[in-house]
Amino acid sequence: MEEVDRLLALLRSGSSAGREAAKQALLALAAGETGKRVREHLESCKRGELLEVQWEIEEIVEATAPKVDPPPKPAVKEEPKPEVPDPNKPLTSKDLTLIYDDPRGLVLHKTKLGPERWFATQFDPRSGQPQTFELVAEEIVQLKQQLAGSPHWVIGGGGLAAPAAPAPARPPAR
């Protein structure tokens, strides 16, 4: 460390050429085999030095300090993306809401999610088996008109809007 102290004295009071030579020699020592001890000694000596000398010492220490890899960033959990329903996926009974149930054999359903689609289920008179088919917009309008007064609409099913409540009667004017 005597060599380091001698070079610090040159750095403190030498000419500009002498200062540069002292700085290069300190850089070589700090980067050498005993670099850790040299850097620690420079850090301890730096506090009592002039500001300009402190800056030079800081440059030497920073230039020769071993590079430390930054700590690894914590893994960011990606939130699962909401499932987008496949429009081509076959519908199941879970995808439909019952809106009309006539015990004589007509049942109407509509889809819960996505674009509103209506389906009718009727018994085939020839086979006696239920058949389900999708209704087109014109058929939906026609069915709503034909079945408007029917008591078989499921409450809360959303098939037919509830009839408007009659306006309250006004008491006669006196």
Side-chain angles (χ1 to χ4, degrees), residues 7-124:
L7 292 171
L8 280 175
L10 280 174
L11 195 62
R12 225 180 276 125
S13 60
S15 64
S16 62
R19 286 180 145 187
E20 190 58 38
K23 183 177 176 182
Q24 293 304 321
L26 284 170
L27 276 168
L29 286 173
E33 291 179 14
T34 59
K36 181 178 179 185
R37 286 185 37 223
V38 171
R39 284 189 300 277
E40 289 173 357
H41 185 70
L42 287 172
E43 286 288 339
S44 66
C45 294
K46 176 176 78 171
R47 292 182 186 91
E49 297 292 336
L50 296 171
L51 190 57
E52 289 179 27
V53 176
Q54 286 182 14
W55 291 340
E56 296 291 338
I57 293 172
E58 283 176 10
E59 285 180 19
I60 294 167
V61 170
E62 286 176 10
T64 58
K67 303 297 182 212
V68 178
D69 291 333
K73 294 181 181 178
V76 177
K77 274 189 178 177
E78 289 187 28
E79 293 188 26
K81 295 179 181 176
E83 266 188 46
V84 177
D86 182 9
N88 299 323
K89 179 186 99 175
L91 295 173
T92 64
S93 60
K94 293 178 184 177
D95 300 324
L96 301 174
T97 302
L98 178 67
I99 57 174
Y100 184 84
D101 189 7
D102 188 339
R104 294 175 284 186
L106 177 63
V107 179
L108 298 176
H109 294 89
K110 74 175 186 176
T111 54
K112 291 180 182 178
L113 299 174
E116 187 174 279
R117 296 167 55 192
W118 284 46
F119 296 88
T121 302
Q122 290 181 311
F123 284 97
D124 183 359

Side-chain angles (χ1 to χ4, degrees), residues 135-150:
L135 300 171
V136 294
E138 295 81 29
E139 292 172 324
I140 296 170
V141 171
Q142 184 181 6
L143 272 173
K144 282 184 176 181
Q145 290 172 350
Q146 287 177 349
L147 302 174
S150 175

